[in-house]
Amino acid sequence: MSSANVLSQLAGMLGTGGIEVVDCSGTLGPDTPLLKLPPELAVDTPKIEIHKISEYDKDGPFWAWNWLKVGEHSGTHFDAPHHWITGKDYPDGYTDTLDVQRLIAPVNVLDFSKECADNPDFLLTIDHVKAWEAEHGEIGEGEWVVLRSDWDKRADDEASFLNADENGPHTPGPTAEVVTYLIDKGIVGWGSQCIGTDAGLAGGMEPPFPAHNLLHKNNRFGLASLANLDKLPAKGAILIAAPLKIVNGTGSPIRALALVPKG
């Protein structure tokens, strides 16, 4: 079958609902949860602001539009390799230089939502991934891998979403060994439903923050604050995760969309 025929069939299936488009993004606004860092370590992203320019009034009689104040890594967002020091030297590691061919790919949805509900500090191990592969099939080269934790159900409450106490944040994520295992398989990137791609306690791992450290060291991408992964199958969906083309951008809020076969 030719590529033209494939695209024609895809268009037809989208039109008839044979393929459903699932929104894997949270809303972006003043109440969107944002990462909180220790003040002695770093400066935080400012709170998101939406300012009206005009809405059919004296400042613009026939149109409505706004201007935004928003950090690159706010809400459902994309981490480019240049986001982390280990990926700083890739010339194609910015949002305006990356290879867009890599942004649309099959997605593997690893459902460990029950384990995450029982233990917010749940860590995904190689044994977990291999057991998942034994049931659903191998994770392939050039594919996305995302952890379904159902953490998006907390997104309307920043304190619950960040889930931090005096010992730090308590959110699920991968071990360093899992990140290395997935990189060796040739994945395009890793995604999470939490505030970042790493587990809450990842600062104490070796290396620290292994998802950020190892993914970007190997010119791979990260996705954070994903939503609605419970509407995706374990395999068979296509994920579209395209950042804004920001000059020298280290990341960007995204509208992540999944194409999911029906029936």
Side-chain angles (χ1 to χ4, degrees), residues 91-114:
D92 60 346
Y94 300 90
T95 56
D96 61 329
T97 61
L98 56 79
D99 178 7
V100 296
Q101 191 77 27
R102 303 171 65 198
L103 302 178
I104 303 174
V107 59
N108 301 273
V109 182
L110 281 56
D111 181 5
F112 288 88
S113 55
K114 182 181 184 301

Side-chain angles (χ1 to χ4, degrees), residues 36-44 166-168:
K36 299 293 185 294
L37 297 167
E40 67 275 12
L41 175 66
V43 175
D44 281 331
E166 64 277 6
N167 297 313

Side-chain angles (χ1 to χ4, degrees), residues 23-42:
D23 189 353
C24 296
S25 312
T27 55
L28 192 66
D31 296 325
T32 297
L34 299 177
L35 182 66
K36 299 293 185 294
L37 297 167
E40 67 275 12
L41 175 66

Side-chain angles (χ1 to χ4, degrees), residues 220-259:
R220 312 304 164 90
F221 306 139
L223 304 174
S225 296
L226 292 167
N228 296 324
L229 297 185
D230 55 328
K231 298 181 180 179
L232 273 56
K235 271 185 172 288
I238 300 291
L239 182 62
I240 304 169
L244 296 173
K245 197 173 181 179
I246 301 168
V247 174
N248 294 332
T250 71
S252 164
I254 59 171
R255 188 70 176 263
L257 302 174
L259 306 182

Side-chain angles (χ1 to χ4, degrees), residues 8 32 133 155 164 173 196 198 201 235:
S8 178
T32 297
E133 287 183 302
D198 273 295
L201 299 179
K235 271 185 172 288

Side-chain angles (χ1 to χ4, degrees), residues 35-65:
L35 182 66
K36 299 293 185 294
L37 297 167
E40 67 275 12
L41 175 66
V43 175
D44 281 331
T45 295
K47 183 182 176 72
I48 297 169
E49 298 178 10
I50 302 176
H51 297 274
K52 183 189 298 184
I53 300 173
S54 69
E55 189 174 12
Y56 329 122
D57 53 30
K58 64 180 180 58
D59 296 318
F62 307 124
W63 54 87
W65 52 355

